[in-house]
Amino acid sequence: MTDSNARTAALAEALRSFIGNFKRRLRAQSHAGELSWSQFAMLSRLERDGPSTVTALAKAEGMRPQSTGAIIRDFEAAGHVTGTSDPQDGRQTLWAVTPNARALVQAARAARQDWLLAAIQKNYSPQEQEDIARAVKLLERIVE
């Protein structure tokens, strides 16, 4: 392995490790109540993207439809979602978040945002914040 490849491999490892730690810290700030992180992510997707069928939601979340269906049933029992008949295919149900679930998701999102804002302001100078902004733009290319 060349020195350049070794440096790049070390960078990839450091970035992967940082992202894992960062995600855990964000999750800790979300205050999602009794929901697991995967349940919260699914509820958040419904809140953000709008009503969806179990099949479409499973595909978007990278889950099996059977597992997604079980989570939706739990959400319905908890009052987090309501179902209506799909106008394009009456055999399917479109699931949407309830107002209470929307408030839960938005509060958790705001808590994560507040924590991150405070952490940036506390730990970084204005110049370092500009450096972070540039780094974010560079890192966005990884997922494009």
Side-chain angles (χ1 to χ4, degrees), residues 36-97:
S36 71
W37 183 251
S38 60
Q39 290 172 324
F40 181 77
M42 187 180 295
L43 199 60
S44 183
R45 180 178 296 277
L46 277 172
E47 187 272 336
R48 183 181 60 248
D49 296 346
S52 180
T53 64
V54 165
T55 303
L57 192 55
K59 184 175 180 179
E61 289 292 313
M63 297 177 66
R64 293 188 344 239
Q66 297 86 347
S67 300
T68 304
I71 292 170
I72 289 293
R73 284 190 296 279
D74 291 344
F75 284 169
E76 185 179 30
H80 294 316
V81 298
T82 57
T84 58
S85 182
D86 185 338
Q88 296 181 354
D89 183 351
R91 298 170 295 169
Q92 295 202 49
T93 302
L94 285 176
W95 296 97
V97 296

Side-chain angles (χ1 to χ4, degrees), residues 13 21 24 30 39 43 50 53 55 69 77 87 123 126 129 138:
E13 170 60 22
N21 289 332
R24 280 187 289 283
S30 70
Q39 290 172 324
L43 199 60
T53 64
T55 303
N123 294 299
Q129 291 177 32
L138 291 172

